[in-house]
Amino acid sequence: RRVHGAYFDKQLKILELEEQGYYGLQLFEEAEKVQKEVEAVREIYDGDDLTAALTFSSLGQVFYEQGNYEASLEFYFECLRIRETQLGHHPQTALAYHNIGAVYKNIGEYKRALDFYLESMKIEEEKLGKDHLDTNVTYHRIGRAYCLMNQLTEGLSLIHI
């Protein structure tokens, strides 16, 4: 049975903050224990709302920091699915694309990373503008991806924006 309500919103928020605290201290075993609690709450909570997307993003980050990129991608893709459905072209959706791109960069799949960074950039330029800090971070990431693919002219032109 799935439920909605302030109680579950509050419970998830507390668990997510606890999880982020452990992640910030690099206490990954503790973060994984909290992750299991979050997953238990998710079982009774609607899995297609923005709170769920935030939870999936947080879990993706924990696994990213641990170097478990397969698990990280699983959670980041679920976050992206929800944000695309609920928000469409929105800065939070761009962040989900950005996070997936970072995972692909770390596993050496630079072309795939570039594709996700480019999607993030399109949304950020549309919603935030070309001069926004987030957009410029994405330009830099795109430039680095090009450089890693030995396309130095394209890469260096974006890194120095």
Side-chain angles (χ1 to χ4, degrees):
R1 178 175 164 252
R2 297 192 182 266
V3 297
H4 296 274
Y7 171 77
F8 287 99
D9 287 339
K10 186 175 182 179
Q11 185 177 6
L12 278 174
K13 192 62 172 168
I14 290 168
L15 289 172
E16 288 164 358
L17 290 172
E18 183 179 354
E19 175 187 351
Q20 289 171 4
Y22 285 134
Y23 148 71
L25 296 172
Q26 297 188 357
L27 300 172
F28 298 121
E29 287 181 24
E30 288 83 356
E32 285 182 9
K33 289 176 188 172
V34 175
Q35 171 214 339
K36 289 179 182 169
E37 291 179 53
V38 170
E39 288 174 356
V41 173
R42 289 260 51 81
E43 288 294 317
I44 58 173
Y45 200 85
D46 183 358
D48 277 344
D49 68 10
L50 295 174
T51 304
L54 179 60
T55 300
F56 291 133
S57 181
S58 296
L59 293 171
Q61 184 66 32
V62 168
F63 286 111
Y64 177 87
E65 293 296 327
Q66 290 178 315
N68 185 344
Y69 298 123
E70 184 178 331
S72 180
L73 282 173
E74 180 182 332
F75 285 109
Y76 280 152
F77 272 112
E78 188 61 19
C79 170
L80 176 61
R81 181 190 66 76
I82 294 168
R83 287 182 178 165
E84 282 181 327
T85 302
Q86 299 293 325
L87 300 173
H89 275 224
H90 184 277
Q92 288 299 312
T93 307
L95 179 60
Y97 278 108
H98 190 99
N99 289 340
I100 293 168
V103 174
Y104 281 126
K105 182 196 72 80
N106 277 6
I107 61 176
E109 293 189 32
Y110 306 126
K111 175 65 175 114
R112 290 181 88 179
L114 180 62
D115 292 341
F116 282 92
Y117 289 149
L118 289 170
E119 192 62 36
S120 178
M121 180 194 68
K122 284 192 289 188
I123 296 169
E124 289 167 348
E125 284 181 343
E126 175 188 332
K127 298 297 182 180
L128 302 173
K130 292 183 178 186
D131 295 326
H132 192 276
L133 177 63
D134 290 348
T135 309
N136 281 278
V137 168
T138 301
Y139 290 150
H140 183 82
R141 295 265 175 133
I142 291 168
R144 287 196 33 89
Y146 275 123
C147 288
L148 289 166
M149 295 187 305
N150 292 317
Q151 297 178 23
L152 299 178
T153 303
E154 294 91 341
L156 292 175
S157 70
L158 288 164
I159 288 175
H160 296 294
I161 286 181

